[in-house]
C-alpha cells in the first residue's frame, strides 16, 4: 500500500461527515422556521448553498437530514458501552454510555430543543426516529448480552437494550419540551435509575 492511501479515504469520510452535519444544521433551522412538511428539499439545499442533487448525495431524504445528529449519537453510545470496565454493573455501564453524547445536545441546546420539537410534531420524523432507535437497540444488544452472560439473541439482553434506549429517549424528549433551566444530565441519570429498577438482572 502506498503511503497516504488509507489517509485519503479517511479524510474524504471526515469531510463528508462534517458537510452532512453542517447542511443538516442549516436545514433544521429552515424546517423549524417554516415547518417540515411545508419546506422542500430544494429549499433546504438552497439555504445551505448547494444543489438539490448535492443534498441527496448527502442524505437519502429530508428525514435523514433532521436526524443525522442522532445517527452520530447512536455510534457514540455503542462505542462508549464497549469501552466501559468489564466488571461494571450493566446499568451503570449503560447510564455512563448514554451520558457520553450529551455534549452533542448541550453544545447547541437551542438547536437540539428545536430538533426535539420538530420530531415530536412531525409524523414522518417520529417514524424515522423509531426506526433509528431500533437500530440503536440492535447495535448495543450483543454488548449487553456479553456483559450479563447471556447469548446475543437472549430475551433479557433485548429487554435491557430496549429499556436503555427508551430511558434515554424519555429524558431527551422531556428536556426538549422543558424550560431552559432543565438539566439534561440529571434527567438521564434519573431515567436510568427508574429503568434499572424495572430491568434488574437476576
Amino acid at each position: 500500500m502506498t503511503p497516504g492511501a488509507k489517509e485519503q479515504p479517511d479524510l474524504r469520510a471526515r469531510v463528508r461527515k462534517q458537510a452532512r452535519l453542517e447542511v443538516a444544521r442549516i436545514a433544521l433551522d429552515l424546517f423549524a422556521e417554516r415547518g417540515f412538511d411545508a419546506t422542500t428539499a430544494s429549499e433546504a439545499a438552497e439555504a445551505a448553498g448547494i444543489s438539490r442533487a448535492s443534498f441527496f448525495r448527502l442524505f437519502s431524504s429530508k428525514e435523514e437530514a433532521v436526524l443525522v445528529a442522532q445517527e452520530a449519537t447512536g455510534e457514540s453510545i455503542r462505542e462508549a458501552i464497549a469501552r466501559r470496565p468489564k466488571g461494571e454493573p450493566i446499568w451503570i455501564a449503560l447510564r455512563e454510555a448514554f451520558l457520553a453524547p450529551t455534549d452533542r445536545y448541550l453544545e447547541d441546546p437551542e438547536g437540539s430543543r428545536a430538533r426535539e420539537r420538530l420530531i415530536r410534531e412531525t409524523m414522518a420524523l417520529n417514524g424515522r426516529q423509531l426506526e433509528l432507535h431500533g437500530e440503536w437497540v440492535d447495535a448495543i444488544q450483543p454488548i449487553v448480552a456479553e456483559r450479563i452472560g447471556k447469548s446475543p439473541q437472549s430475551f433479557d439482553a433485548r429487554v435491557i437494550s430496549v429499556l436503555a434506549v427508551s430511558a434515554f429517549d424519555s429524558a431527551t424528549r422531556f428536556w426538549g419540551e422543558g424550560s431552559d433551566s432543565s438539566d439534561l444530565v440529571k434527567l438521564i441519570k434519573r431515567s436510568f435509575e427508574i429503568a434499572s429498577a424495572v430491568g434488574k438482572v437476576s
Side-chain angles (χ1 to χ4, degrees):
M1 181 182 293
T2 59
K6 184 177 187 300
E7 285 80 357
Q8 281 187 335
D10 286 350
L11 177 60
R12 285 196 293 269
R14 289 198 299 271
V15 169
R16 184 176 187 275
K17 181 178 181 180
Q18 188 57 44
R20 292 182 86 225
L21 290 171
E22 178 62 19
V23 173
R25 183 189 62 76
I26 295 169
L28 175 60
D29 288 345
L30 194 65
F31 294 147
E33 177 186 342
R34 300 184 183 178
F36 181 79
D37 294 326
T39 307
T40 67
S42 296
E43 289 168 335
E46 182 180 358
I50 61 174
S51 68
R52 186 177 187 277
S54 294
F55 182 90
F56 281 112
R57 279 195 289 270
L58 293 172
F59 312 105
S60 63
S61 63
K62 291 195 302 178
E63 289 82 3
E64 185 180 347
V66 173
L67 292 165
V68 66
Q70 293 198 3
E71 291 177 10
T73 296
E75 294 170 13
S76 173
I77 291 167
R78 181 182 59 77
E79 291 170 0
I81 295 172
R83 289 195 302 266
R84 299 302 303 173
K86 293 299 182 183
E88 191 171 52
I90 185 61
W91 280 105
I92 294 178
L94 286 167
R95 181 194 67 202
E96 294 305 307
F98 276 83
L99 281 169
T102 53
D103 285 350
R104 299 176 190 272
Y105 289 80
L106 298 178
E107 66 185 4
D108 179 20
E110 185 178 337
S112 296
R113 281 192 165 99
R115 182 173 61 249
E116 291 297 326
R117 288 193 296 270
L118 191 64
I119 292 169
R120 187 178 68 251
E121 295 166 0
T122 309
M123 186 178 297
L125 291 173
N126 262 290
R128 176 55 190 141
Q129 187 182 57
L130 285 173
E131 292 176 5
L132 190 60
H133 285 175
E135 293 169 11
W136 292 9
V137 170
D138 291 341
I140 68 173
Q141 183 174 334
I143 304 171
V144 169
E146 181 181 0
R147 284 175 172 272
I148 64 173
K150 302 284 186 179
S151 70
Q153 301 303 320
S154 74
F155 180 70
D156 287 11
R158 187 69 179 181
V159 171
I160 291 170
S161 300
V162 170
L163 280 172
V165 172
S166 296
F168 182 77
D169 179 54
S170 296
T172 53
R173 284 204 175 212
F174 190 87
W175 175 79
E177 297 167 2
S179 68
D180 291 342
S181 62
S182 61
D183 188 319
L184 178 58
V185 171
K186 286 184 179 179
L187 287 171
I188 291 173
K189 287 181 177 180
R190 176 56 181 154
S191 191
F192 272 82
E193 184 182 341
I194 295 168
S196 66
V198 175
K200 285 183 179 177
V201 183
S202 58

